[in-house]
Amino acid sequence: MTEPTTRLLHPSYRAPEGFEAPQRGVFKASTIFFKNVAAMRSHDWRSKEGYVYGLHGTPTSFELEARLCELEGGRHCLLTPSGLSAIALVSLALLKSGDEVLLPDNAYGPNLSLAQGQLARWGITHRLYDPLDVADLTGKLSERTALVWLEAAGSVSMEFPPVAALVAACRARGVTSALDNTWGAGLAFAPFDTGVDLSIHALTKYPSGGGDVLMGSVITRDEALHQRLQAAHMRLGFGVGMNDIELILRSLPSMMMRYRAQDEAARQLAVWLAEQPEVAQVLHPALPGSPGHAHWRALCAADGGGGLAAGLFSIILHDRYSRAEADAVCDRLRLFKLGFSWGGPISLAVPYDLASMRGGWPRHLAPGTLVRFSLGLESVRDLRADLAQALAGLPPR
Ligand SMILES: *Cc1c(COP(=O)(O)O)cnc(C)c1O
């Protein structure tokens, strides 16, 4: 007969089978028990038919991986602790010294920073290509090119590239292409229909929707590619907390509604801002005249309807205003908060120093100061009034 304290640790109670509810249970573990030594010896950490160690997954992480595969149309999914670590996993898994990686010139800043920092230290070079110019990418593909990153749309200046044509150029040279699919979120278009080899997604944005979780995913359809990514994922120890996964699982069912609502709000405000005399240009892929609009239409509104877009856009304030005056517009905002990230419930504004990010002012953009807005879930009328009062504080012409 064991002592009560021991029985507390080795309980005989087993919950009955058959519990079904909208949310599944959350399975947390570092240690996972094996049935016997034979099972322990023959374990395969790669297989999702069983369990080995918390770092390689529990029913909770397998569940999110499976649902994300459904969302994006992929076959294999790996979860990482942030969107940036999903990017890092791909680059670390697929690149070695002597290789070159190509990035769009409007790439997500930290992806470029990874290339300039860690990758450069390991003898991996990078070059930037113009994502609106397939010939520019083609001309830069070389024997050393091992990976090409794509982003649709670019996360600050919002250019929408011809994704399928860029991917086809990579395929023709046998080069792996990776799409940062955070903007499309698996909703605006089906990433693998473009032919891309893998898709990374900052689940931090729309799948979370709360502004309170960091997570990333890497999804592919290709078995061999998945194996390379999975091996690097295991060696790097990119585990994810199950409570964080629970938050994502809880938010996924409302993602399409949130995406649509924020899309609609963003388009209404973008159209209104385009009419304001203080604004030199509005950068929103669904707005005619925005760089790459035709490519957005071809990929995201191919049925001739209104299509889908993330609730994210930038404006360029007229260059008659100084940087300080543009900053003051942002400081006057009350409902829009100043903060990074997007896809959450609170609307956000960020002024960017685009010239220093791009090594000069891009020729296809009007001169001025760029401010990016991401839409939350507030009333559009209140947000418009907030923007109007912030712009009204600018000095008269
Ligand atoms: C936010 C973001 C990421 C990185 O996600 P984190 O979870 O913040 O690391 C990567 N790519 C794009 C386009 C993003 O917007």
Side-chain angles (χ1 to χ4, degrees):
M1 191 58 189
T2 51
E3 300 277 337
T5 49
T6 300
R7 288 204 295 282
L8 200 59
L9 301 173
H10 296 264
S12 57
Y13 178 77
R14 288 282 176 277
E17 303 261 316
F19 179 83
E20 291 271 359
Q23 296 301 327
R24 312 263 166 93
V26 180
F27 294 85
K28 299 194 276 187
S30 46
T31 301
I32 299 168
F33 302 141
F34 294 92
K35 256 202 187 73
N36 51 42
V37 173
M40 189 173 220
R41 290 233 166 95
S42 66
H43 82 255
D44 177 7
W45 61 269
R46 290 174 194 81
S47 162
K48 287 186 184 164
E49 301 299 311
Y51 307 102
V52 174
Y53 186 58
L55 210 43
H56 311 313
T58 76
T60 303
S61 58
F62 291 177
E63 167 98 31
L64 180 58
E65 288 164 2
R67 289 209 201 176
L68 293 172
C69 282
E70 297 284 353
L71 174 69
E72 297 206 19
R75 263 204 283 282
H76 302 284
C77 175
L78 295 162
L79 299 174
T80 64
S82 64
L84 179 55
S85 58
I87 291 172
L89 172 65
V90 171
S91 286
L92 300 188
L94 303 184
L95 298 170
K96 60 178 188 324
S97 6
D99 284 347
E100 184 157 89
V101 55
L102 298 183
L103 301 164
D105 63 17
N106 58 0
Y108 175 66
N111 190 353
L112 177 59
S113 171
L114 175 70
Q116 290 167 331
Q118 244 52 40
L119 299 186
R121 276 165 40 106
W122 297 330
I124 299 159
T125 58
H126 73 275
R127 280 211 283 171
L128 302 179
Y129 69 92
D130 177 351
L132 295 175
D133 184 353
V134 180
D136 185 58
L137 172 67
T138 307
K140 285 172 178 163
L141 291 167
S142 77
E143 263 122 66
R144 291 180 44 235
T145 316
L147 177 64
V148 173
W149 279 102
L150 297 99
E151 206 179 320
S155 52
V156 173
S157 42
M158 308 303 299
E159 295 92 346
F160 205 97
V163 181
L166 294 170
V167 169
C170 297
R171 289 216 158 229
R173 294 290 296 266
V175 175
T176 302
S177 54
L179 173 70
D180 183 330
N181 192 35
T182 304
W183 181 95
L187 300 173
F189 62 95
F192 291 100
D193 284 2
T194 67
V196 81
D197 291 305
L198 60 91
S199 159
I200 77 99
H201 191 166
L203 307 178
T204 307
K205 309 288 166 51
Y206 279 102
S208 152
D212 56 355
V213 189
L214 290 156
M215 203 178 295
S217 61
V218 180
I219 296 181
T220 176
R221 284 183 172 176
D222 182 298
E223 183 66 39
L225 192 53
H226 171 67
Q227 282 175 14
R228 290 170 72 191
L229 293 162
Q230 194 184 28
H233 186 267
M234 186 272 278
R235 291 174 191 132
L236 291 165
F238 278 176
V240 170
M242 298 300 150
N243 288 113
D244 284 348
I245 292 180
E246 180 193 21
L247 292 174
I248 305 273
L249 285 170
R250 198 152 194 288
S251 296
L252 275 181
S254 65
M255 180 165 69
M256 186 54 153
M257 288 174 65
R258 291 183 278 107
Y259 196 90
R260 273 190 194 287
Q262 294 181 342
D263 176 12
E264 244 167 66
R267 288 200 220 189
Q268 283 181 36
L269 292 184
V271 166
W272 179 80
L273 280 163
E275 292 163 356
Q276 306 310 305
E278 298 87 353
V279 176
Q281 193 174 5
V282 175
L283 305 169
H284 186 309
L287 253 59
S290 196
H293 168 70
H295 303 137
W296 170 81
R297 182 152 287 289
L299 190 60
C300 304
D303 62 359
L308 270 176
L312 193 70
F313 67 92
S314 295
I315 63 169
I316 297 173
L317 279 172
H318 205 285
D319 68 349
R320 64 176 168 266
Y321 304 116
S322 67
R323 173 96 76 83
E325 285 167 342
D327 287 354
V329 169
C330 296
D331 282 334
R332 275 194 292 275
L333 291 166
R334 293 172 198 142
L335 294 177
F336 281 91
K337 299 294 176 189
L338 301 176
F340 294 109
S341 200
W342 35 282
I346 306 295
S347 294
L348 300 170
V350 187
Y352 280 96
D353 184 1
L354 192 67
S356 77
M357 289 162 66
R358 298 283 281 270
W361 192 260
R363 266 175 299 157
H364 60 282
L365 302 184
T369 305
L370 185 145
V371 181
R372 188 184 73 182
F373 296 100
S374 71
L375 272 288
L377 294 166
E378 300 92 339
S379 125
V380 182
R381 199 203 293 221
D382 290 340
L383 292 174
R384 186 168 49 224
D386 194 23
L387 290 168
Q389 65 80 20
L391 289 173
L394 281 168
R397 272 197 276 181

